[in-house]
Amino acid sequence: MSKDIFTSTSASKDHDTGSSEFDEKPDILHIERGRKLSTTEKVHEIDAIVANPAVTLETFAHLDIKKILWKIDLRLVPMLTLLYLLSFLDRGNIGNAKIEGLATDLKLTGPQYNWCLTAFFFTYCAFEVPSNMLLKKLRPSIWLPTIMVAWGIVMTLMGLVQNYHGLLSARIFLGIAEAGLFPGVVYYNTMWYCRYEVQVRQAIFFSAASIAGAFSGLLAYGISFMNGVGGLAGWRWIFILEGMLTVLVAIAAFFTLHDFPETASFLTPEERAFVTFRLKYDGQDAETDAAHRVAQSDEFSWKYVKQAFTDGQVWVNIVVYWGYVCPLYGISLFLPTIIKELGYASTTAQLLTVPIYVTAAAITVIVAFIADRKRVRSPFIIGGLVIQLIGFVMCLSTNNAGVTYAGIFIAACAIYQTQPSNITWLSNNLAGSYKRAVGMGLQISVGNLAGGKFILQPPTPIPSPHHTDMHPRSHGIKLLPRKRLSTL
């Protein structure tokens, strides 16, 4: 039985990368060690090696892929996870600010607050595909920190808004600034990891959304005690301090993010060639001879953009995306309010969000590890949708606060693991760098439109959990079980 190109290697040997075995093949690899190469020269050098028909996996047999991946993980995963943690923290902290008095101080009606939430999605979705197209051209180490500085400034200024129109404008600009991060990072990961290595990295990165929820509750709880400091309400300090933190991390990201394997300074030239070779021929049989190898295209052409927009699997995947993105945003934006309206005090409600998010993060990573090892995605996606439905049915079928909290707990744990499974599923099936960039951007862009749709539902008051009438616990929970059923 044939093996994929990325797994078929005898690279378990623990040799030094400068071994004489490697130096015996200078006519094949042409690695220049005598001078420092420019970025462009590094790319051309590695591309020439990979395109050489004489280069095969056996050329790199002395390298240890596990050690190389570990080096990549240490340089990429922590910073990317931190970036997304701050992104999700900044877009979702309006829920924490609301229960600390934002709506009261700004005299927001229910529909006005919902419009402030929804306005974010309009610009967020509109700029995701263009951002992914710019990512490779402008370099990740420049583009990602730049948009991060932009949204950090917007978030800080959000703490100074005085009315509905100010908050609405800030949310619109926040959507523009944040649009490039999530689709950019999930695409960026596919430029470093092969198809059956990437989900666990996507999951670790995406689990930052869960951790952001937990951290947001803890942080909001602590910041709420700053109420009155500097003459500002506690909810204003939530925006100001979290925005300033985002700007500081963004500045550090300019110096710590790496662009592509071909130019990675932390890898040796041989390792850069090996990683690039594996990615170029990912998914092809290891036994395929050089004459029949087909490298994935990296050059830009509008035909790849058109192919992404007309590929049926992208649109089918978007429907699946709709199936879980509504509850995902329902949880992130409304969870503190939901728990508070079960009868808990504001500070207690903030703290009760923490165990939900922490558990969801752990499950997300465990599922991704199993999915990569088993090389399957769909069972975990379908299972997540079914379990979400069970959790939401629990919420809607009882007036008991404990059972409702348990239902939310179950639904959240199912929701978060579904996202990395689904985005990895699509990325595994889109060949060509720019088609994959546009396809993944389109998936996330159109998929996230569903998040804005449910927020515009008219607000439904949530009585005490002891109320005898059946009632939905939030807009998200009200609409999302129907989404689950239509998807399934």
Side-chain angles (χ1 to χ4, degrees), residues 160-183:
L160 304 178
V161 299
Q162 299 299 319
N163 51 43
Y164 162 65
H165 294 98
L167 182 62
L168 181 66
S169 300
R171 292 286 294 180
I172 289 172
F173 282 102
L174 184 65
I176 295 173
E178 282 201 31
L181 185 77
F182 182 63

Side-chain angles (χ1 to χ4, degrees), residues 145-405:
T146 298
I147 63 176
M148 191 175 181
V149 169
W151 95 60
I153 293 172
V154 172
M155 177 55 55
T156 303
L157 295 177
M158 197 182 297
L160 304 178
V161 299
Q162 299 299 319
N163 51 43
Y164 162 65
H165 294 98
L167 182 62
L168 181 66
S169 300
R171 292 286 294 180
I172 289 172
F173 282 102
L174 184 65
I176 295 173
E178 282 201 31
L181 185 77
F182 182 63
V185 172
V186 296
Y187 168 55
Y188 176 63
N189 278 334
T190 67
M191 293 186 284
W192 287 86
Y193 300 102
C194 291
R195 63 182 58 204
Y196 295 118
E197 298 163 350
V198 72
Q199 184 174 336
V200 70
R201 277 82 183 182
Q202 304 282 35
I204 293 172
F205 148 70
F206 184 72
S207 67
S210 305
I211 299 300
F215 187 57
S216 179
L218 289 173
L219 194 59
Y221 173 74
I223 295 176
S224 66
F225 290 102
M226 293 184 64
N227 187 44
V229 175
L232 298 176
W235 65 265
R236 294 185 182 276
W237 282 112
I238 292 176
F239 292 143
I240 293 171
L241 294 182
E242 292 179 7
M244 293 174 63
L245 176 62
T246 297
V247 172
L248 292 175
V249 173
I251 294 172
F254 277 109
F255 304 98
T256 56
L257 279 181
H258 297 270
D259 291 318
F260 309 108
E262 296 93 328
T263 60
S265 59
F266 62 90
L267 297 176
T268 66
E270 296 88 349
E271 291 170 340
R272 293 201 296 269
F274 183 30
V275 172
T276 304
F277 183 89
R278 296 169 73 241
L279 292 166
K280 286 278 189 181
Y281 302 107
D282 185 20
Q284 301 181 43
D285 290 341
E287 290 80 5
T288 302
D289 60 78
H292 295 88
R293 287 194 321 226
V294 179
Q296 295 194 44
S297 174
D298 277 333
E299 73 273 6
F300 174 77
S301 173
W302 284 106
K303 72 177 182 180
Y304 299 130
V305 178
K306 180 180 178 181
Q307 287 175 1
F309 273 86
T310 57
D311 192 331
Q313 67 177 333
V314 174
W315 296 99
V316 171
N317 195 278
I318 287 171
V319 174
V320 177
Y321 198 103
W322 285 340
Y324 60 80
V325 75
C326 287
L328 177 63
Y329 282 115
I331 292 292
S332 65
L333 295 172
F334 289 106
L335 185 57
T337 302
I338 296 169
I339 296 177
K340 179 184 177 183
E341 291 179 346
L342 291 176
Y344 298 98
S346 295
T347 52
T348 303
Q350 303 279 26
L351 293 176
L352 284 175
T353 65
V354 176
I356 295 177
Y357 288 122
V358 171
T359 305
I363 291 175
T364 298
V365 176
I366 292 170
V367 168
F369 179 79
I370 296 172
D372 272 347
R373 291 291 294 269
K374 298 296 183 181
R375 303 191 179 188
V376 292
R377 314 291 181 199
S378 57
F380 299 101
I381 297 171
I382 295 171
L385 295 176
V386 172
I387 294 172
Q388 287 173 60
L389 179 60
I390 294 172
F392 287 124
V393 167
M394 289 175 61
C395 294
L396 292 170
S397 61
T398 181
N399 290 311
N400 183 279
V403 175
T404 300
Y405 180 79

